[in-house]
Structures are given as structure tokens and as C-alpha cells.
């Protein structure tokens, strides 16, 4: 499962997440990627609209629309995968750090 802001989404999804084998926080991965490119010391959490505009400025997106939020998250995630981020290490850290299972 790829979500953009895990803290917000996990609040609403609750026990449904127990059935998920892996959870990836797209916002954290994008923030880490973005700041690794500009050399800032501490990652900042980016709004989804800013992240999708960075990865694809022509992407048409209506913020806070559930379906558009999913599409925008997918757009950012696919961009990150093309950049070969190491999501497996983050997945394990994320699952254990927040005790989701």
C-alpha cells in the first residue's frame, strides 16, 4: 500500500491496515529524495500538490479530491521508482517504527 501522508491516512484506515503486507509513505520518500537533491540537512514534508507539480508540472490535479489524490500519489510514486529509491529499507523501518502490524 502506498499512501502519501501516513499519519493522516492511518488515522482513517485504522485496523484495515492489519491486512496489508507493506506500507510505503510516499511523502516521506519524496521529501528524502527532494532534499537529497538540494542538500538540505532535514527533510520537510511536502504537500501532495507541490510534489506532483515537481515530478510532472503538466499533471492536472484537484487537491483534496479522493480520486485525484490517489492519481497524484501514483504519479509521484512512479517518478520515485524511476529514480530507484530504496523503498525496501524504508518499508521495514516504517512498519516497525509505527508498530502497524
Amino acid at each position: 500500500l502506498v499512501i502519501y501522508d501516513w499519519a493522516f491516512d492511518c488515522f482513517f484506515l485504522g485496523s484495515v491496515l492489519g491486512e496489508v503486507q507493506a506500507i510505503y509513505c510516499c511523502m516521506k520518500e519524496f521529501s528524502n529524495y527532494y532534499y537529497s537533491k538540494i542538500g538540505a540537512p532535514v527533510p520537510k514534508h511536502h504537500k501532495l500538490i507541490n510534489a506532483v507539480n515537481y515530478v510532472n508540472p503538466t499533471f492536472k490535479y484537484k487537491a483534496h479530491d479522493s480520486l485525484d489524490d490517489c492519481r497524484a500519489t501514483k504519479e509521484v510514486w512512479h517518478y520515485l521508482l524511476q529514480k530507484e529509491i530504496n523503498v525496501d529499507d524504508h518499508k521495514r523501518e516504517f512498519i516497525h517504527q509505527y508498530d502497524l502490524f
Side-chain angles (χ1 to χ4, degrees):
L1 175 65
V2 176
I3 54 181
Y4 193 76
D5 180 357
W6 74 268
F8 182 79
D9 291 344
C10 288
F11 176 78
F12 292 102
L13 296 173
S15 62
V16 173
L17 297 175
E19 300 174 22
V20 177
Q21 292 182 11
I23 300 172
Y24 301 95
C25 182
C26 187
M27 181 172 66
K28 182 175 180 179
E29 295 297 343
F30 176 77
S31 294
N32 289 340
Y33 171 78
Y34 181 82
Y35 280 96
S36 73
K37 293 297 176 193
I38 64 170
V42 180
K44 176 187 173 198
H45 298 293
H46 294 272
K47 292 182 179 181
L48 179 55
I49 194 165
N50 296 335
V52 77
N53 283 335
Y54 177 84
V55 304
N56 183 352
T58 63
F59 186 81
K60 301 297 180 206
Y61 170 63
K62 180 182 174 189
H64 306 293
D65 175 88
S66 297
L67 186 54
D68 273 2
D69 285 349
C70 291
R71 290 178 178 146
T73 299
K74 179 182 174 184
E75 189 76 12
V76 174
W77 191 249
H78 282 191
Y79 175 87
L80 293 173
L81 291 177
Q82 291 173 8
K83 300 300 179 185
E84 299 180 8
I85 60 168
N86 191 352
V87 295
D88 286 332
D89 288 342
H90 175 76
K91 174 185 70 175
R92 284 189 284 277
E93 169 196 335
F94 181 77
I95 290 170
H96 295 295
Q97 181 178 356
Y98 300 105
D99 195 26
L100 293 175
F101 297 108

